[in-house]
PDB file of all heavy atoms in Angstrom:
ATOM      1  N   ASP S1182      58.887 132.685   3.958  1.00 88.00           N
ATOM      2  CA  ASP S1182      59.450 131.598   3.164  1.00 88.00           C
ATOM      3  C   ASP S1182      59.915 130.472   4.087  1.00 88.00           C
ATOM      4  O   ASP S1182      60.894 130.637   4.838  1.00 88.00           O
ATOM      5  CB  ASP S1182      60.642 132.124   2.356  1.00 88.00           C
ATOM      6  CG  ASP S1182      61.216 131.057   1.418  1.00 88.00           C
ATOM      7  OD1 ASP S1182      60.714 129.924   1.416  1.00 88.00           O
ATOM      8  OD2 ASP S1182      62.147 131.393   0.693  1.00 88.00           O
ATOM      9  N   PRO S1183      59.271 129.313   4.063  1.00 89.00           N
ATOM     10  CA  PRO S1183      59.666 128.247   4.988  1.00 89.00           C
ATOM     11  C   PRO S1183      60.942 127.514   4.597  1.00 89.00           C
ATOM     12  O   PRO S1183      61.572 126.896   5.436  1.00 89.00           O
ATOM     13  CB  PRO S1183      58.460 127.275   4.922  1.00 89.00           C
ATOM     14  CG  PRO S1183      57.875 127.516   3.577  1.00 89.00           C
ATOM     15  CD  PRO S1183      58.066 128.963   3.268  1.00 89.00           C
ATOM     16  N   ARG S1184      61.303 127.582   3.322  1.00 86.00           N
ATOM     17  CA  ARG S1184      62.458 126.820   2.804  1.00 86.00           C
ATOM     18  C   ARG S1184      62.382 125.340   3.199  1.00 86.00           C
ATOM     19  O   ARG S1184      63.385 124.708   3.492  1.00 86.00           O
ATOM     20  CB  ARG S1184      63.763 127.440   3.285  1.00 86.00           C
ATOM     21  CG  ARG S1184      63.930 128.894   2.807  1.00 86.00           C
ATOM     22  CD  ARG S1184      65.257 129.494   3.196  1.00 86.00           C
ATOM     23  NE  ARG S1184      65.233 130.934   2.900  1.00 86.00           N
ATOM     24  CZ  ARG S1184      66.193 131.788   3.248  1.00 86.00           C
ATOM     25  NH1 ARG S1184      67.236 131.356   3.898  1.00 86.00           N
ATOM     26  NH2 ARG S1184      66.114 133.064   2.956  1.00 86.00           N
ATOM     27  N   LEU S1185      61.178 124.883   3.204  1.00 87.00           N
ATOM     28  CA  LEU S1185      60.902 123.425   3.491  1.00 87.00           C
ATOM     29  C   LEU S1185      59.791 123.046   2.555  1.00 87.00           C
ATOM     30  O   LEU S1185      58.619 122.941   2.956  1.00 87.00           O
ATOM     31  CB  LEU S1185      60.501 123.248   4.952  1.00 87.00           C
ATOM     32  CG  LEU S1185      60.340 121.819   5.431  1.00 87.00           C
ATOM     33  CD1 LEU S1185      61.663 121.077   5.431  1.00 87.00           C
ATOM     34  CD2 LEU S1185      59.755 121.794   6.831  1.00 87.00           C
ATOM     35  N   TYR S1186      60.137 122.841   1.299  1.00 87.00           N
ATOM     36  CA  TYR S1186      59.080 122.795   0.280  1.00 87.00           C
ATOM     37  C   TYR S1186      58.472 121.434   0.074  1.00 87.00           C
ATOM     38  O   TYR S1186      57.387 121.327  -0.496  1.00 87.00           O
ATOM     39  CB  TYR S1186      59.672 123.301  -1.075  1.00 87.00           C
ATOM     40  CG  TYR S1186      60.324 124.656  -0.926  1.00 87.00           C
ATOM     41  CD1 TYR S1186      61.688 124.843  -1.167  1.00 87.00           C
ATOM     42  CD2 TYR S1186      59.582 125.774  -0.491  1.00 87.00           C
ATOM     43  CE1 TYR S1186      62.283 126.074  -1.006  1.00 87.00           C
ATOM     44  CE2 TYR S1186      60.173 126.996  -0.337  1.00 87.00           C
ATOM     45  CZ  TYR S1186      61.520 127.150  -0.606  1.00 87.00           C
ATOM     46  OH  TYR S1186      62.111 128.384  -0.432  1.00 87.00           O
ATOM     47  N   GLN S1187      59.121 120.341   0.535  1.00 89.00           N
ATOM     48  CA  GLN S1187      58.466 119.060   0.397  1.00 89.00           C
ATOM     49  C   GLN S1187      57.317 118.953   1.406  1.00 89.00           C
ATOM     50  O   GLN S1187      56.375 118.184   1.211  1.00 89.00           O
ATOM     51  CB  GLN S1187      59.478 117.907   0.608  1.00 89.00           C
ATOM     52  CG  GLN S1187      59.895 117.627   2.033  1.00 89.00           C
ATOM     53  CD  GLN S1187      61.057 118.494   2.488  1.00 89.00           C
ATOM     54  OE1 GLN S1187      61.311 119.540   1.926  1.00 89.00           O
ATOM     55  NE2 GLN S1187      61.800 118.051   3.477  1.00 89.00           N
ATOM     56  N   TYR S1188      57.371 119.708   2.489  1.00 93.00           N
ATOM     57  CA  TYR S1188      56.234 119.907   3.395  1.00 93.00           C
ATOM     58  C   TYR S1188      55.545 121.166   2.934  1.00 93.00           C
ATOM     59  O   TYR S1188      56.063 122.269   3.082  1.00 93.00           O
ATOM     60  CB  TYR S1188      56.683 120.066   4.843  1.00 93.00           C
ATOM     61  CG  TYR S1188      57.211 118.814   5.516  1.00 93.00           C
ATOM     62  CD1 TYR S1188      57.419 117.633   4.793  1.00 93.00           C
ATOM     63  CD2 TYR S1188      57.524 118.808   6.863  1.00 93.00           C
ATOM     64  CE1 TYR S1188      57.906 116.497   5.428  1.00 93.00           C
ATOM     65  CE2 TYR S1188      57.997 117.678   7.506  1.00 93.00           C
ATOM     66  CZ  TYR S1188      58.198 116.528   6.773  1.00 93.00           C
ATOM     67  OH  TYR S1188      58.684 115.415   7.403  1.00 93.00           O
ATOM     68  N   GLY S1189      54.350 121.030   2.358  1.00 92.00           N
ATOM     69  CA  GLY S1189      53.694 122.148   1.707  1.00 92.00           C
ATOM     70  C   GLY S1189      53.182 123.209   2.626  1.00 92.00           C
ATOM     71  O   GLY S1189      53.098 123.028   3.870  1.00 92.00           O
ATOM     72  N   GLY S1190      52.804 124.331   2.045  1.00 95.00           N
ATOM     73  CA  GLY S1190      52.285 125.444   2.810  1.00 95.00           C
ATOM     74  C   GLY S1190      51.018 125.131   3.571  1.00 95.00           C
ATOM     75  O   GLY S1190      50.734 125.747   4.614  1.00 95.00           O
ATOM     76  N   LEU S1191      50.237 124.174   3.087  1.00 96.00           N
ATOM     77  CA  LEU S1191      49.015 123.809   3.778  1.00 96.00           C
ATOM     78  C   LEU S1191      49.336 123.075   5.081  1.00 96.00           C
ATOM     79  O   LEU S1191      48.448 122.856   5.925  1.00 96.00           O
ATOM     80  CB  LEU S1191      48.156 122.907   2.874  1.00 96.00           C
ATOM     81  CG  LEU S1191      46.677 122.819   3.224  1.00 96.00           C
ATOM     82  CD1 LEU S1191      46.037 124.196   3.226  1.00 96.00           C
ATOM     83  CD2 LEU S1191      45.938 121.911   2.252  1.00 96.00           C
ATOM     84  N   TRP S1192      50.579 122.686   5.274  1.00 97.00           N
ATOM     85  CA  TRP S1192      51.041 122.109   6.531  1.00 97.00           C
ATOM     86  C   TRP S1192      51.814 123.180   7.336  1.00 97.00           C
ATOM     87  O   TRP S1192      51.528 123.388   8.539  1.00 97.00           O
ATOM     88  CB  TRP S1192      51.948 120.905   6.309  1.00 97.00           C
ATOM     89  CG  TRP S1192      52.676 120.461   7.552  1.00 97.00           C
ATOM     90  CD1 TRP S1192      53.967 120.714   7.889  1.00 97.00           C
ATOM     91  CD2 TRP S1192      52.138 119.661   8.614  1.00 97.00           C
ATOM     92  NE1 TRP S1192      54.286 120.163   9.091  1.00 97.00           N
ATOM     93  CE2 TRP S1192      53.189 119.502   9.573  1.00 97.00           C
ATOM     94  CE3 TRP S1192      50.888 119.103   8.883  1.00 97.00           C
ATOM     95  CZ2 TRP S1192      52.993 118.795  10.757  1.00 97.00           C
ATOM     96  CZ3 TRP S1192      50.715 118.389  10.059  1.00 97.00           C
ATOM     97  CH2 TRP S1192      51.767 118.235  10.970  1.00 97.00           C
ATOM     98  N   ILE S1193      52.733 123.882   6.709  1.00 96.00           N
ATOM     99  CA  ILE S1193      53.605 124.802   7.402  1.00 96.00           C
ATOM    100  C   ILE S1193      52.864 125.975   8.007  1.00 96.00           C
ATOM    101  O   ILE S1193      53.021 126.302   9.197  1.00 96.00           O
ATOM    102  CB  ILE S1193      54.736 125.294   6.469  1.00 96.00           C
ATOM    103  CG1 ILE S1193      55.711 124.137   6.149  1.00 96.00           C
ATOM    104  CG2 ILE S1193      55.503 126.446   7.114  1.00 96.00           C
ATOM    105  CD1 ILE S1193      56.529 123.666   7.311  1.00 96.00           C
ATOM    106  N   TYR S1194      52.034 126.661   7.206  1.00 96.00           N
ATOM    107  CA  TYR S1194      51.381 127.881   7.685  1.00 96.00           C
ATOM    108  C   TYR S1194      50.374 127.588   8.789  1.00 96.00           C
ATOM    109  O   TYR S1194      50.347 128.319   9.802  1.00 96.00           O
ATOM    110  CB  TYR S1194      50.799 128.619   6.525  1.00 96.00           C
ATOM    111  CG  TYR S1194      51.831 129.098   5.527  1.00 96.00           C
ATOM    112  CD1 TYR S1194      51.743 128.796   4.171  1.00 96.00           C
ATOM    113  CD2 TYR S1194      52.909 129.867   5.937  1.00 96.00           C
ATOM    114  CE1 TYR S1194      52.703 129.177   3.263  1.00 96.00           C
ATOM    115  CE2 TYR S1194      53.901 130.278   5.036  1.00 96.00           C
ATOM    116  CZ  TYR S1194      53.782 129.931   3.725  1.00 96.00           C
ATOM    117  OH  TYR S1194      54.746 130.346   2.822  1.00 96.00           O
ATOM    118  N   PRO S1195      49.514 126.561   8.671  1.00 97.00           N
ATOM    119  CA  PRO S1195      48.670 126.241   9.821  1.00 97.00           C
ATOM    120  C   PRO S1195      49.478 125.832  11.044  1.00 97.00           C
ATOM    121  O   PRO S1195      49.083 126.172  12.184  1.00 97.00           O
ATOM    122  CB  PRO S1195      47.810 125.074   9.313  1.00 97.00           C
ATOM    123  CG  PRO S1195      47.757 125.276   7.824  1.00 97.00           C
ATOM    124  CD  PRO S1195      49.113 125.801   7.476  1.00 97.00           C
ATOM    125  N   ALA S1196      50.606 125.152  10.839  1.00 97.00           N
ATOM    126  CA  ALA S1196      51.457 124.783  11.983  1.00 97.00           C
ATOM    127  C   ALA S1196      51.994 126.031  12.667  1.00 97.00           C
ATOM    128  O   ALA S1196      52.053 126.105  13.908  1.00 97.00           O
ATOM    129  CB  ALA S1196      52.616 123.921  11.520  1.00 97.00           C
ATOM    130  N   GLY S1197      52.355 127.039  11.884  1.00 96.00           N
ATOM    131  CA  GLY S1197      52.812 128.304  12.454  1.00 96.00           C
ATOM    132  C   GLY S1197      51.733 128.990  13.290  1.00 96.00           C
ATOM    133  O   GLY S1197      52.023 129.517  14.362  1.00 96.00           O
ATOM    134  N   MET S1198      50.500 128.941  12.788  1.00 96.00           N
ATOM    135  CA  MET S1198      49.399 129.575  13.541  1.00 96.00           C
ATOM    136  C   MET S1198      49.149 128.814  14.828  1.00 96.00           C
ATOM    137  O   MET S1198      48.847 129.400  15.891  1.00 96.00           O
ATOM    138  CB  MET S1198      48.130 129.595  12.678  1.00 96.00           C
ATOM    139  CG  MET S1198      48.206 130.593  11.527  1.00 96.00           C
ATOM    140  SD  MET S1198      46.617 130.792  10.683  1.00 96.00           S
ATOM    141  CE  MET S1198      46.485 129.206   9.844  1.00 96.00           C
ATOM    142  N   ILE S1199      49.254 127.482  14.807  1.00 96.00           N
ATOM    143  CA  ILE S1199      49.051 126.695  16.006  1.00 96.00           C
ATOM    144  C   ILE S1199      50.129 127.001  17.042  1.00 96.00           C
ATOM    145  O   ILE S1199      49.839 127.174  18.227  1.00 96.00           O
ATOM    146  CB  ILE S1199      49.036 125.191  15.639  1.00 96.00           C
ATOM    147  CG1 ILE S1199      47.785 124.846  14.839  1.00 96.00           C
ATOM    148  CG2 ILE S1199      49.147 124.307  16.907  1.00 96.00           C
ATOM    149  CD1 ILE S1199      47.799 123.449  14.246  1.00 96.00           C
ATOM    150  N   VAL S1200      51.367 127.048  16.603  1.00 95.00           N
ATOM    151  CA  VAL S1200      52.474 127.376  17.516  1.00 95.00           C
ATOM    152  C   VAL S1200      52.293 128.762  18.119  1.00 95.00           C
ATOM    153  O   VAL S1200      52.502 128.955  19.336  1.00 95.00           O
ATOM    154  CB  VAL S1200      53.810 127.273  16.775  1.00 95.00           C
ATOM    155  CG1 VAL S1200      54.946 127.876  17.597  1.00 95.00           C
ATOM    156  CG2 VAL S1200      54.146 125.816  16.444  1.00 95.00           C
ATOM    157  N   LYS S1201      51.894 129.719  17.301  1.00 94.00           N
ATOM    158  CA  LYS S1201      51.696 131.081  17.804  1.00 94.00           C
ATOM    159  C   LYS S1201      50.557 131.127  18.794  1.00 94.00           C
ATOM    160  O   LYS S1201      50.686 131.746  19.879  1.00 94.00           O
ATOM    161  CB  LYS S1201      51.391 132.022  16.619  1.00 94.00           C
ATOM    162  CG  LYS S1201      51.290 133.497  16.984  1.00 94.00           C
ATOM    163  CD  LYS S1201      52.642 134.005  17.461  1.00 94.00           C
ATOM    164  CE  LYS S1201      52.611 135.520  17.744  1.00 94.00           C
ATOM    165  NZ  LYS S1201      53.894 136.035  18.240  1.00 94.00           N
ATOM    166  N   CYS S1202      49.457 130.474  18.503  1.00 95.00           N
ATOM    167  CA  CYS S1202      48.316 130.435  19.424  1.00 95.00           C
ATOM    168  C   CYS S1202      48.666 129.762  20.731  1.00 95.00           C
ATOM    169  O   CYS S1202      48.188 130.126  21.809  1.00 95.00           O
ATOM    170  CB  CYS S1202      47.119 129.753  18.775  1.00 95.00           C
ATOM    171  SG  CYS S1202      46.360 130.684  17.439  1.00 95.00           S
ATOM    172  N   ALA S1203      49.546 128.728  20.671  1.00 95.00           N
ATOM    173  CA  ALA S1203      49.950 128.022  21.888  1.00 95.00           C
ATOM    174  C   ALA S1203      50.668 128.936  22.856  1.00 95.00           C
ATOM    175  O   ALA S1203      50.514 128.850  24.073  1.00 95.00           O
ATOM    176  CB  ALA S1203      50.804 126.800  21.527  1.00 95.00           C
ATOM    177  N   THR S1204      51.499 129.843  22.326  1.00 93.00           N
ATOM    178  CA  THR S1204      52.210 130.775  23.185  1.00 93.00           C
ATOM    179  C   THR S1204      51.337 131.927  23.637  1.00 93.00           C
ATOM    180  O   THR S1204      51.451 132.375  24.785  1.00 93.00           O
ATOM    181  CB  THR S1204      53.439 131.331  22.447  1.00 93.00           C
ATOM    182  OG1 THR S1204      53.023 131.919  21.183  1.00 93.00           O
ATOM    183  CG2 THR S1204      54.443 130.218  22.123  1.00 93.00           C
ATOM    184  N   LEU S1205      50.440 132.375  22.764  1.00 93.00           N
ATOM    185  CA  LEU S1205      49.560 133.491  23.130  1.00 93.00           C
ATOM    186  C   LEU S1205      48.549 133.099  24.230  1.00 93.00           C
ATOM    187  O   LEU S1205      48.198 133.912  25.065  1.00 93.00           O
ATOM    188  CB  LEU S1205      48.810 134.012  21.891  1.00 93.00           C
ATOM    189  CG  LEU S1205      49.659 134.754  20.862  1.00 93.00           C
ATOM    190  CD1 LEU S1205      48.769 135.126  19.638  1.00 93.00           C
ATOM    191  CD2 LEU S1205      50.311 135.997  21.450  1.00 93.00           C
ATOM    192  N   THR S1206      48.090 131.858  24.182  1.00 94.00           N
ATOM    193  CA  THR S1206      47.094 131.402  25.158  1.00 94.00           C
ATOM    194  C   THR S1206      47.741 130.920  26.432  1.00 94.00           C
ATOM    195  O   THR S1206      47.035 130.651  27.418  1.00 94.00           O
ATOM    196  CB  THR S1206      46.255 130.261  24.551  1.00 94.00           C
ATOM    197  OG1 THR S1206      47.112 129.173  24.149  1.00 94.00           O
ATOM    198  CG2 THR S1206      45.483 130.743  23.336  1.00 94.00           C
ATOM    199  N   GLY S1207      49.064 130.783  26.469  1.00 93.00           N
ATOM    200  CA  GLY S1207      49.739 130.326  27.662  1.00 93.00           C
ATOM    201  C   GLY S1207      49.873 128.838  27.783  1.00 93.00           C
ATOM    202  O   GLY S1207      50.384 128.338  28.794  1.00 93.00           O
ATOM    203  N   TYR S1208      49.366 128.098  26.766  1.00 95.00           N
ATOM    204  CA  TYR S1208      49.533 126.632  26.823  1.00 95.00           C
ATOM    205  C   TYR S1208      51.007 126.265  26.859  1.00 95.00           C
ATOM    206  O   TYR S1208      51.428 125.370  27.585  1.00 95.00           O
ATOM    207  CB  TYR S1208      48.844 125.984  25.619  1.00 95.00           C
ATOM    208  CG  TYR S1208      49.093 124.502  25.507  1.00 95.00           C
ATOM    209  CD1 TYR S1208      48.474 123.626  26.375  1.00 95.00           C
ATOM    210  CD2 TYR S1208      49.938 123.991  24.536  1.00 95.00           C
ATOM    211  CE1 TYR S1208      48.714 122.235  26.299  1.00 95.00           C
ATOM    212  CE2 TYR S1208      50.180 122.626  24.427  1.00 95.00           C
ATOM    213  CZ  TYR S1208      49.582 121.767  25.318  1.00 95.00           C
ATOM    214  OH  TYR S1208      49.831 120.417  25.219  1.00 95.00           O
ATOM    215  N   VAL S1209      51.815 127.020  26.088  1.00 95.00           N
ATOM    216  CA  VAL S1209      53.273 126.886  26.148  1.00 95.00           C
ATOM    217  C   VAL S1209      53.805 128.164  26.828  1.00 95.00           C
ATOM    218  O   VAL S1209      53.529 129.261  26.375  1.00 95.00           O
ATOM    219  CB  VAL S1209      53.869 126.730  24.760  1.00 95.00           C
ATOM    220  CG1 VAL S1209      55.408 126.679  24.862  1.00 95.00           C
ATOM    221  CG2 VAL S1209      53.352 125.471  24.094  1.00 95.00           C
ATOM    222  N   ARG S1210      54.581 128.001  27.896  1.00 93.00           N
ATOM    223  CA  ARG S1210      55.083 129.146  28.624  1.00 93.00           C
ATOM    224  C   ARG S1210      56.050 129.963  27.742  1.00 93.00           C
ATOM    225  O   ARG S1210      56.879 129.411  27.041  1.00 93.00           O
ATOM    226  CB  ARG S1210      55.799 128.700  29.878  1.00 93.00           C
ATOM    227  CG  ARG S1210      54.887 128.353  31.040  1.00 93.00           C
ATOM    228  CD  ARG S1210      55.694 128.277  32.304  1.00 93.00           C
ATOM    229  NE  ARG S1210      56.651 127.170  32.272  1.00 93.00           N
ATOM    230  CZ  ARG S1210      57.824 127.190  32.919  1.00 93.00           C
ATOM    231  NH1 ARG S1210      58.206 128.237  33.602  1.00 93.00           N
ATOM    232  NH2 ARG S1210      58.622 126.118  32.851  1.00 93.00           N
ATOM    233  N   SER S1211      55.917 131.277  27.810  1.00 89.00           N
ATOM    234  CA  SER S1211      56.831 132.156  27.118  1.00 89.00           C
ATOM    235  C   SER S1211      58.062 132.434  27.965  1.00 89.00           C
ATOM    236  O   SER S1211      57.975 132.422  29.210  1.00 89.00           O
ATOM    237  CB  SER S1211      56.131 133.487  26.763  1.00 89.00           C
ATOM    238  OG  SER S1211      55.035 133.275  25.916  1.00 89.00           O
ATOM    239  N   PRO S1212      59.213 132.693  27.345  1.00 91.00           N
ATOM    240  CA  PRO S1212      60.412 132.972  28.132  1.00 91.00           C
ATOM    241  C   PRO S1212      60.286 134.301  28.875  1.00 91.00           C
ATOM    242  O   PRO S1212      59.600 135.201  28.416  1.00 91.00           O
ATOM    243  CB  PRO S1212      61.526 133.039  27.051  1.00 91.00           C
ATOM    244  CG  PRO S1212      60.812 133.352  25.783  1.00 91.00           C
ATOM    245  CD  PRO S1212      59.469 132.712  25.901  1.00 91.00           C
ATOM    246  N   PRO S1213      60.969 134.411  30.010  1.00 91.00           N
ATOM    247  CA  PRO S1213      60.980 135.710  30.716  1.00 91.00           C
ATOM    248  C   PRO S1213      61.555 136.829  29.858  1.00 91.00           C
ATOM    249  O   PRO S1213      62.323 136.566  28.926  1.00 91.00           O
ATOM    250  CB  PRO S1213      61.865 135.410  31.933  1.00 91.00           C
ATOM    251  CG  PRO S1213      61.894 133.932  32.063  1.00 91.00           C
ATOM    252  CD  PRO S1213      61.771 133.390  30.683  1.00 91.00           C
ATOM    253  N   THR S1214      61.201 138.028  30.142  1.00 89.00           N
ATOM    254  CA  THR S1214      61.697 139.178  29.414  1.00 89.00           C
ATOM    255  C   THR S1214      63.225 139.206  29.439  1.00 89.00           C
ATOM    256  O   THR S1214      63.849 139.079  30.491  1.00 89.00           O
ATOM    257  CB  THR S1214      61.145 140.481  30.006  1.00 89.00           C
ATOM    258  OG1 THR S1214      59.725 140.430  30.030  1.00 89.00           O
ATOM    259  CG2 THR S1214      61.618 141.689  29.170  1.00 89.00           C
ATOM    260  N   GLY S1215      63.821 139.345  28.264  1.00 88.00           N
ATOM    261  CA  GLY S1215      65.270 139.399  28.159  1.00 88.00           C
ATOM    262  C   GLY S1215      65.925 138.040  27.897  1.00 88.00           C
ATOM    263  O   GLY S1215      67.125 138.008  27.589  1.00 88.00           O
ATOM    264  N   THR S1216      65.150 136.969  28.012  1.00 90.00           N
ATOM    265  CA  THR S1216      65.720 135.618  27.755  1.00 90.00           C
ATOM    266  C   THR S1216      65.332 135.172  26.377  1.00 90.00           C
ATOM    267  O   THR S1216      64.135 135.104  26.040  1.00 90.00           O
ATOM    268  CB  THR S1216      65.150 134.607  28.773  1.00 90.00           C
ATOM    269  OG1 THR S1216      65.488 135.023  30.098  1.00 90.00           O
ATOM    270  CG2 THR S1216      65.756 133.221  28.510  1.00 90.00           C
ATOM    271  N   PRO S1217      66.325 134.888  25.514  1.00 91.00           N
ATOM    272  CA  PRO S1217      66.010 134.398  24.162  1.00 91.00           C
ATOM    273  C   PRO S1217      65.173 133.110  24.207  1.00 91.00           C
ATOM    274  O   PRO S1217      65.402 132.262  25.094  1.00 91.00           O
ATOM    275  CB  PRO S1217      67.393 134.144  23.525  1.00 91.00           C
ATOM    276  CG  PRO S1217      68.328 135.037  24.288  1.00 91.00           C
ATOM    277  CD  PRO S1217      67.774 135.062  25.714  1.00 91.00           C
ATOM    278  N   SER S1218      64.271 132.983  23.293  1.00 92.00           N
ATOM    279  CA  SER S1218      63.351 131.817  23.280  1.00 92.00           C
ATOM    280  C   SER S1218      64.130 130.515  23.236  1.00 92.00           C
ATOM    281  O   SER S1218      63.812 129.545  23.939  1.00 92.00           O
ATOM    282  CB  SER S1218      62.403 131.901  22.100  1.00 92.00           C
ATOM    283  OG  SER S1218      61.558 133.023  22.206  1.00 92.00           O
TER     284      SER S1218
END
């Protein structure tokens, strides 16, 4: 539930996938183990 309904799911959910892929591929560095994001 995004709780951001004026920005529709066709924007929010693809944005979430892009953000996730950015961290998985290393384009965005992940925090060290034990450090909150």
Side-chain angles (χ1 to χ4, degrees):
D1182 185 359
R1184 299 184 190 173
L1185 186 67
Y1186 307 118
Q1187 77 273 23
Y1188 288 7
L1191 201 57
W1192 168 261
I1193 291 292
Y1194 298 124
M1198 289 189 290
I1199 290 170
V1200 168
K1201 186 66 175 178
C1202 289
T1204 55
L1205 290 176
T1206 58
Y1208 174 72
V1209 177
R1210 281 194 295 149
S1211 299
T1214 303
T1216 302
S1218 296

